[in-house]
Amino acid sequence: MMEPGKILLVDDNPQNLGVLTGILKAEKHTILVATDGKRAIEVANKAQPDMILLDIMMPGMDGIEVCNKIKEFPKLRDVPIIFITALSDSDNISTAFASGGVDYIVKPIRAEEVIARVRAHMQLYKMRRNLELQVEVKSQEIMDTKTIALKAVANLAETRDPETGAHLQRVQLYIRQLARELQNSGFYGNQITENYIQDLYDSSPLHDIGKVGIPDKILLKPARLTEKEFEIMKTHSQIGYYSLRRAKIPGRDNSFLDVGADIAHAHHEKWNGTGYPKGLKGEEIPLAGRLMAFVDVYDALTSQRVYKKAYTHERSRDIMFDSMDGSFDPQIIKTFLNIEDWFKDISEKYRDDEDWELSSLI
Ligand SMILES: [Fe+2]
Ligand SMILES: [Fe+2]
């Protein structure tokens, strides 16, 4: 069945335009016309046609040049262009294909040929567009499923942990901003990609997921933990790590699970080697763990906890840089200082006691 579409006809000869319009209108297509290259590019941009029939020999900008220009616009790049050429132009045919044309029609114009070629390419184009649309919808569904699963798991962990959901949302914002700023300053450029930043954002709420495995009498104890209890508490980083590692599908690239596992495992490691579970030092600690350690502590200090009130941004910063000296990656500290006003803003704006939803911020 013929799929009608919107077709742009470009020819300096009004007679040719008239003939083509007649043929294609009879096929129920919507027709736009242009008699020179410059106008053709304007119309194409404005009207977003499904196909362009383009004369090669035109005064001023010729068809090949018009085609090259049109291909520079991302939204027009895939629109099929069929060249119209005189028989004597046959040398131009290979140039026409090289510039991105999908087909050509030789003058004098014959209605059956125009109809057949337009029909074939219109069908192909629409099928491809449909497929792309379906892929887009499916990809979105997969992304949604991932987000829902992550949220569910993080929320579940949260019910076992006195830390609030707002903490999880703030650390997402912090870690993303810190990674972006590191990237902008050229630090760890080989590790920080857009994908990596998204993985940090997605998986950072899982940093304490291992607390699900810590007994209530320790996790919810309203008093200071004994040394033995603290040793048990510390295992949450390994429990989290192993749970996330086991969730990986073998042979598949689940980069956000890798980043999540690093975060769960290493968010209590310290730059100077005095952290847990492994006592890793410096760059032995995965970057995701170093970033998480920083934003987790910053958020714990600037927000209220059962055992403390919220400290100001300035006081929190001083604690991190004085009494916790040596705990954090110096590169991360430097980067944080570049954007500390932004951190201060977020910490003051999105407090635990206020009702706010992260989705309204993005
Ligand atoms: Fe933790
Ligand atoms: Fe935390």
Side-chain angles (χ1 to χ4, degrees):
M1 203 193 75
M2 184 68 189
E3 281 246 37
K6 200 193 291 175
I7 303 179
L8 170 60
L9 307 177
V10 190
D11 200 315
D12 58 309
N13 181 336
Q15 225 173 347
N16 284 346
L17 284 180
V19 174
L20 283 170
T21 304
I23 296 169
L24 294 168
K25 268 211 166 141
E27 292 281 301
K28 306 260 184 299
H29 294 296
T30 307
I31 303 299
L32 305 155
V33 294
T35 49
D36 65 75
K38 201 168 153 269
R39 180 86 190 118
I41 293 166
E42 280 169 21
V43 175
N45 260 309
K46 219 164 145 190
Q48 183 73 40
D50 300 312
M51 179 176 292
I52 301 171
L53 265 56
L54 182 55
D55 186 23
I56 292 190
M57 293 277 267
M58 292 189 291
M61 209 187 285
D62 70 13
I64 306 289
E65 204 183 334
V66 176
C67 179
N68 284 328
K69 286 247 156 66
I70 283 177
K71 296 284 168 196
E72 283 171 18
F73 298 99
K75 63 171 186 175
L76 297 174
R77 199 176 305 153
D78 297 329
V79 176
I81 294 179
I82 299 178
F83 283 105
I84 301 166
T85 169
L87 206 51
S88 57
D89 281 350
S90 53
D91 284 354
N92 273 330
I93 300 296
S94 49
T95 327
F97 278 118
S99 70
V102 292
D103 206 348
Y104 65 96
I105 293 169
V106 178
K107 284 191 259 195
I109 288 158
R110 288 180 305 136
E112 317 79 68
E113 187 186 357
V114 173
I115 291 170
R117 293 194 194 268
V118 166
R119 184 175 289 179
H121 287 290
M122 188 64 85
Q123 253 172 8
L124 262 178
Y125 178 61
K126 296 220 161 166
M127 263 161 61
R128 211 177 75 197
R129 271 229 314 241
N130 262 336
L131 266 177
E132 279 167 3
L133 238 114
Q134 280 178 32
V135 169
E136 213 171 280
V137 169
K138 284 283 161 214
S139 313
Q140 195 52 49
E141 275 176 27
I142 293 168
M143 290 287 289
D144 287 352
T145 312
K146 188 180 110 181
T147 310
I148 291 164
L150 276 172
K151 256 193 159 169
V153 174
N155 289 343
L156 182 67
E158 193 198 318
T159 61
R160 298 268 296 116
D161 188 348
E163 289 185 5
T164 68
H167 165 67
L168 301 181
Q169 296 189 306
R170 277 189 309 260
V171 295
Q172 278 189 295
L173 292 180
Y174 291 148
I175 204 164
R176 181 172 66 186
Q177 198 65 15
L178 205 49
R180 276 187 186 155
E181 189 60 24
L182 272 174
Q183 188 187 37
N184 290 340
S185 327
F187 294 130
Y188 306 123
N190 52 344
Q191 285 180 73
I192 304 178
T193 59
E194 274 316 301
N195 231 337
Y196 183 76
I197 294 175
Q198 188 62 43
D199 287 339
L200 285 172
Y201 182 83
D202 287 339
S203 62
S204 52
L206 304 178
H207 64 281
D208 272 338
I209 183 89
K211 285 189 180 168
V212 171
I214 304 296
D216 277 356
K217 66 175 193 317
I218 295 175
L219 189 67
L220 306 174
K221 186 175 172 184
R224 206 183 164 82
L225 299 181
T226 65
E227 207 169 306
K228 212 173 145 206
E229 287 166 338
F230 190 53
E231 284 308 311
I232 294 170
M233 184 65 164
K234 280 170 159 183
T235 62
H236 80 273
S237 57
Q238 278 135 309
I239 298 171
Y241 172 72
Y242 289 115
S243 322
L244 291 171
R245 285 240 69 89
R246 277 202 303 268
K248 257 197 88 146
I249 303 166
R252 292 278 180 80
D253 177 31
N254 300 127
S255 61
F256 79 97
L257 276 181
D258 291 332
V259 173
D262 277 348
I263 282 179
H265 205 201
H267 71 281
H268 290 288
E269 296 287 5
K270 290 183 180 163
W271 184 255
N272 57 15
T274 60
Y276 68 86
K278 291 190 149 177
L280 297 176
K281 235 183 185 163
E283 292 197 20
E284 287 171 0
I285 309 164
L287 179 60
R290 281 179 266 151
L291 284 163
M292 189 67 223
F294 190 93
V295 299
D296 198 26
V297 169
Y298 176 81
D299 194 67
L301 289 170
T302 49
S303 44
Q304 192 180 330
R305 292 286 161 91
V306 261
Y307 51 88
K308 66 174 264 296
K309 60 180 184 10
Y311 297 148
T312 63
H313 165 82
E314 288 74 16
R315 173 144 188 233
S316 307
R317 183 193 57 199
D318 292 346
I319 294 173
M320 290 174 81
F321 298 163
D322 298 339
S323 25
M324 298 181 75
D325 188 28
S327 299
F328 306 108
D329 180 342
Q331 231 53 290
I332 292 178
I333 293 175
K334 227 188 261 175
T335 306
F336 163 78
L337 289 173
N338 288 340
I339 49 169
E340 67 170 321
D341 290 344
W342 179 89
F343 268 80
K344 185 179 172 174
D345 261 17
I346 297 288
S347 69
E348 287 171 358
K349 241 184 189 154
Y350 304 111
R351 292 188 180 287
D352 295 342
D353 46 6
E354 274 151 39
D355 198 16
W356 57 276
E357 207 8 83
L358 186 64
S359 54
S360 64
L361 304 177
I362 316 171

